[in-house]
């Protein structure tokens, strides 16, 4: 592919829908174990830590620990679902099964394929986050109708992590490569973004590190989801939404350019 | 988008493509008329697959002009591919689906309505010799069946032009013959076929015209019979045995041309009578007398040394 075509902005168009449909059709065959798997693990952590560890703790940020943990569990479970789909599943389709190669012989372009994968990974993560939200509501950990606004927050979080995951997918020589992304990015982010404890626990860290931590996508997602579950309008909501949206867009542009370089040489 | 050049199914002019300073396609020109079968022949690494990728708009050439179904490639490749089918070198059937689901999902990429695809599936499977296999899982199919499913998938959008990249590599003779028979049916229905192969019998059987590609350049182009007549003597006698090479060298005037490869001597002749008379007096030598084939042309033009 010529340089100007490699670096052109993505042209998502509307033809990506059959790519989404393809993934949905595969998922439907394995829907029940998939949903159970996505739901069980985060719930065990949330309930185990929330009531177990929470029993030892005084209130955290003015609420019970399990209520505090609920928002973090929803967004981290969204993050995991989107990341796994954009890493392992997308890589299988791109590199192992050559599904994308087959699609590129049809009128669809690589931009359509990537848009379909992006929206699919975000859709799957929406289901993951939504399932936890339903349990959280059923346990009475949230009672406000404002909690419904968590649903678009989940989808936006899913888009941001799916787009970042597609960058890693474009760069990966093999499945082993993904371990770096988890160890160097996802896991540290999980600890500094206010999922398990308030992010200001790190206030003794240098200001630069705190600034980076505050800019992480998971931190923005937590700061949106937690107040909404408690029935409050998040402070600086537009800043957090804009940050997640910007991350999603920039990451998707980067993923598109990198994948074109990989596949359309 | 307007069709630029409706006269040709595919037209390639001055095509060049390099990877890391290595020129894989070094300036080639050819045209394919609608309703014909065109073969792109060449040893491994000759540039066949890169040429096909350029023609489909999957990679941008460094230089040259391509039109496919009258559309400029790569600029209008997506529109051109609406009525193009592709059988890739390596099967990439979706392993998560059944046979029928593969056709349904693939048809949707072309924007075809589900009901239309559903109506086409039985005919496609019948054509591919996969009747009754709608619900079969991909893992249960043999290599030949997967290949035939790939062919059926390439026809789901009722293409005018079908690209086939080494369609019978790795298949047993029964499976190859079935594929050949189906490809002939497709040309009989007016489809244009563009295939790459390194099986000369396949090219000779199927292609109306063919081009031999080597080191990124077209070495020759024409109808199979024309190429044999133009490049090679009509008769070949292969002589084998321990002393065959030495014996042949001492009698190299018995044929127009002599080639020696290992223990085998190849005599290329117009009249074989003197050679066959001489061989009749050599009970220790075995030989085979045959008509010249496309393979002899191919070897003459591309040499005998192995390619990676």
């Amino acid at each position: 592919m010529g340089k100007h075509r490699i670096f052109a902005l993505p042209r998502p168009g509307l033809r990506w829908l059959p790519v989404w449909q393809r993934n949905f059709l595969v998922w439907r065959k394995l829907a029940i174990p998939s949903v159970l798997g996505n739901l069980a693990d985060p719930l065990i952590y949330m309930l185990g830590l929330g009531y177990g560890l929470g029993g030892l703790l005084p209130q955290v940020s003015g609420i019970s620990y399990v209520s505090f943990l609920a928002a973090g569990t929803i967004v981290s479970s969204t993050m995991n679902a989107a990341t796994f789909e954009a890493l392992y599943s997308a890589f299988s389709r791109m590199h192992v099964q050559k599904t994308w190669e087959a699609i590129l012989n049809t009128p669809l372009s690589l931009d359509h394929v990537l848009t379909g994968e992006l929206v699919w990974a975000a859709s799957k993560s929406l289901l993951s986050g939504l399932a936890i939200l339903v349990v959280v509501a059923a346990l009475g950990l949230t009672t406000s109708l404002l909690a419904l606004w968590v649903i678009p927050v989940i989808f936006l979080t899913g888009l941001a992590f799916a787009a970042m995951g597609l960058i890693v997918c474009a760069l990966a020589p093999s499945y082993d490569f993904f371990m770096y992304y988890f160890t160097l990015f996802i896991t540290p982010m999980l600890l500094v973004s206010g999922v398990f404890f308030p992010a200001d626990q790190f206030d003794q860290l240098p200001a630069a590190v705190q600034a980076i931590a505050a800019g992480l996508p998971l931190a923005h997602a937590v700061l949106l989801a937690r107040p909404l579950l408690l029935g409050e309008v998040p402070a600086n909501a537009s800043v957090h939404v804009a940050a997640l949206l910007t991350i999603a867009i920039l990451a998707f542009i980067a993923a598109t350019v990198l994948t074109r370089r990989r596949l359309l040489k | 988008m307007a069709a630029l050049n409706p006269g040709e199914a595919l037209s390639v002019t001055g095509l060049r493509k390099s990877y890391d300073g290595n020129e894989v396609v070094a300036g080639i020109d050819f045209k394919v008329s609608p309703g014909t079968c065109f073969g792109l022949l060449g040893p491994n690494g000759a540039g066949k697959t890169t040429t096909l990728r350029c023609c489909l708009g999957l990679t941008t050439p460094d230089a040259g002009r391509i039109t496919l179904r009258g559309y400029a490639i790569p600029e209008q490749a997506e529109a051109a591919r609406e009525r193009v089918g592709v059988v890739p070198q390596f099967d990439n059937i979706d392993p998560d689906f059944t046979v029928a689901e593969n056709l349904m999902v693939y048809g949707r990429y072309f924007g075809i309505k589900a009901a239309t695809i559903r109506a086409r599936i039985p005919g496609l499977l019948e054509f591919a010799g996969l009747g009754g296999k709608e619900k079969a899982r991909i893992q249960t199919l043999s290599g030949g069946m997967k290949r035939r499913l790939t062919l059926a998938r390439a026809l789901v959008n009722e293409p005018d032009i079908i690209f086939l990249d080494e369609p019978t590599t790795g298949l047993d003779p029964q499976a190859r013959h079935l594929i050949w028979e189906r490809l002939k049916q497709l040309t009989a229905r007016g489809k244009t076929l563009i295939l790459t192969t390194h099986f000369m019998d396949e090219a000779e059987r199927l292609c109306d015209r063919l081009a031999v590609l080597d080191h990124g350049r077209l070495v020759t182009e024409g109808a199979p019979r024309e190429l044999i007549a133009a490049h090679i003597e009509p008769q070949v006698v292969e002589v084998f045995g321990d002393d065959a090479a030495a014996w042949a060298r001492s009698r190299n005037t018995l044929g127009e041309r002599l080639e020696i490869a290992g223990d085998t001597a190849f005599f290329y002749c117009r009249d074989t009578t003197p050679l066959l008379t001489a061989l009749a007096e050599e009970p220790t030598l075995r030989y085979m007398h045959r008509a010249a084939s496309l393979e002899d042309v191919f070897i003459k033009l591309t040499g005998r040394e192995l390619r990676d």
Side-chain angles (χ1 to χ4, degrees):
Chain A
M1 223 188 190
K3 279 221 162 51
H4 63 288
R5 292 172 67 86
I6 296 262
F7 290 104
L9 284 176
R11 292 177 302 132
L14 288 171
R15 299 201 75 155
W16 55 267
L17 192 62
V19 179
W20 187 96
Q21 278 179 310
R22 180 239 165 250
N23 293 345
F24 175 72
L25 196 58
V26 177
W27 174 83
R28 215 175 55 181
K29 295 184 172 207
L30 302 161
I32 290 170
S34 168
V35 170
L36 287 181
N38 274 322
L39 191 60
D41 202 52
L43 272 187
I44 291 167
Y45 271 95
M46 185 180 85
L47 299 178
L49 289 177
Y51 290 111
L53 187 60
L56 302 173
L57 295 172
Q59 290 201 327
V60 179
S61 301
I63 47 175
S64 72
Y65 186 53
V66 69
S67 300
F68 180 87
L69 205 52
T73 306
I74 290 171
V75 292
S76 65
S77 156
T78 303
M79 167 184 83
N80 280 332
T83 304
F84 268 95
E85 191 64 23
L87 262 56
Y88 291 93
S89 308
F91 187 77
S92 297
R93 294 190 278 270
M94 172 184 74
H95 188 71
V96 183
Q97 304 176 5
K98 308 279 183 199
T99 310
W100 294 7
E101 208 174 276
I103 299 175
L104 292 178
N105 286 327
T106 73
L108 273 64
S109 70
L110 189 56
D111 296 13
H112 299 135
V113 173
L114 287 167
T115 309
E117 292 286 357
L118 175 82
V119 181
W120 167 249
S123 307
K124 211 177 151 182
S125 73
L126 173 64
L127 206 67
S128 249
L130 200 57
I132 312 263
L133 179 64
V134 168
V135 175
V136 165
L139 290 173
L141 297 174
T142 182
T143 49
S144 165
L145 276 180
L146 269 183
L148 289 175
W149 281 100
V150 173
I151 298 170
V153 171
I154 293 171
F155 190 68
L156 185 56
T157 307
L159 282 175
F161 281 99
M164 290 192 297
L166 287 174
I167 295 180
V168 183
C169 176
L171 295 172
S174 72
Y175 290 111
D176 300 329
F177 184 77
F178 300 142
M179 195 46 77
Y180 295 114
Y181 184 63
F182 279 102
T183 315
L184 299 175
F185 184 62
I186 294 287
T187 309
M189 181 166 52
L190 197 57
L191 292 175
V192 301
S193 294
V195 169
F196 298 112
F197 44 82
D200 56 21
Q201 287 298 305
F202 288 107
D203 55 6
Q204 67 275 33
L205 285 178
V209 178
Q210 286 189 52
I212 292 172
L216 291 171
L218 193 61
H220 291 294
V222 168
L223 289 175
L224 286 169
R226 184 162 292 138
L228 287 171
L229 284 187
L230 299 174
E232 297 160 14
V233 176
N236 304 319
S238 55
V239 173
H240 300 306
V241 170
L244 284 172
L245 209 53
T246 308
I247 291 170
I249 292 169
L250 292 182
F252 186 64
I253 292 173
T256 305
V257 170
L258 290 168
T259 313
R260 284 184 193 145
R261 269 181 34 168
R262 178 177 184 138
L263 296 183
L264 302 182
K265 273 198 299 186
Chain B
M1 275 177 267
L4 298 174
N5 186 0
E8 306 288 350
L10 172 67
S11 152
V12 174
T13 317
L15 181 67
R16 285 178 185 276
K17 180 75 186 175
S18 298
Y19 290 112
D20 305 322
N22 177 24
E23 198 160 51
V24 181
V25 179
I28 65 173
D29 307 81
F30 62 90
K31 285 185 166 50
V32 182
S33 304
T36 64
C37 177
F38 181 84
L40 208 50
L41 274 55
N44 289 332
K48 304 187 294 290
T49 299
T50 302
T51 304
L52 289 196
R53 283 176 59 80
C54 288
C55 292
L56 288 165
L58 299 176
T59 184
T60 303
D62 300 332
R65 259 175 59 86
I66 301 171
T67 60
L68 176 61
R69 295 181 55 234
Y71 292 99
I73 306 293
E75 296 77 10
Q76 302 173 317
E78 290 167 27
R81 292 200 300 259
E82 296 280 357
R83 297 292 293 263
V84 166
V86 179
V87 175
Q89 190 172 347
F90 303 104
D91 288 324
N92 50 23
I93 300 166
D94 217 316
D96 295 313
F97 294 130
T98 64
V99 166
E101 285 169 341
N102 257 286
L103 298 176
M104 174 57 75
V105 167
Y106 207 71
R108 279 205 295 237
Y109 297 140
F110 291 89
I112 308 170
K113 287 201 190 84
T116 310
I117 307 169
R118 207 167 291 125
R120 282 180 194 171
I121 287 176
L124 288 170
L125 292 182
E126 198 55 48
F127 178 77
L130 293 169
K133 291 275 179 195
E134 280 83 351
K135 293 197 157 63
R137 290 168 52 80
I138 300 309
Q139 290 77 3
T140 65
L141 302 184
S142 70
M145 290 163 112
K146 283 185 195 163
R147 211 71 193 129
R148 272 140 52 201
L149 177 57
T150 305
L151 179 61
R153 192 184 67 175
L155 301 174
V156 75
N157 58 327
E158 302 194 328
D160 305 325
I161 305 176
I162 303 147
F163 286 84
L164 305 113
D165 196 359
E166 301 191 11
T168 65
T169 299
L171 297 186
D172 63 26
Q174 287 83 353
R176 294 178 70 196
H177 278 268
L178 186 86
I179 295 261
W180 289 340
E181 200 264 318
R182 291 304 191 260
L183 295 183
K184 282 184 185 156
Q185 285 186 24
L186 289 174
T187 43
R189 289 190 207 164
K191 309 278 188 196
T192 307
L193 303 187
I194 296 159
L195 76 106
T196 77
T197 182
H198 43 227
F199 295 122
M200 297 304 128
D201 53 339
E202 180 164 298
E204 213 170 326
R205 252 171 240 258
L206 297 175
C207 298
D208 300 301
R209 288 185 72 76
L210 47 89
V212 178
L213 193 62
D214 197 17
H215 301 297
R217 288 191 167 78
L218 283 192
V219 186
T220 189
E221 197 198 325
R225 288 282 119 204
E226 281 168 29
L227 293 182
I228 295 169
H231 290 280
I232 209 107
E233 299 74 9
Q235 307 282 323
V236 185
V237 179
E238 297 181 24
V239 185
F240 333 89
D242 292 341
D243 310 323
W247 181 87
R249 274 195 197 93
S250 68
R251 287 167 179 75
N252 62 358
T253 52
L254 292 173
E256 268 72 21
R257 207 158 54 81
L258 170 66
E259 267 188 42
I260 292 174
D263 287 339
T264 307
F266 295 80
F267 284 94
Y268 295 90
C269 313
R270 297 202 185 285
D271 175 12
T272 52
T273 320
L275 175 58
L276 294 178
T277 311
L279 277 166
E281 289 160 21
E282 300 290 339
T284 59
L285 293 176
R286 289 171 297 124
Y287 68 92
M288 184 170 82
H289 177 199
R290 59 177 174 81
S293 71
L294 200 54
E295 186 140 334
D296 299 302
V297 177
F298 186 80
I299 296 273
K300 183 181 173 193
L301 295 174
T302 63
R304 284 191 185 272
E305 74 272 23
L306 278 182
R307 304 302 173 89
D308 294 327

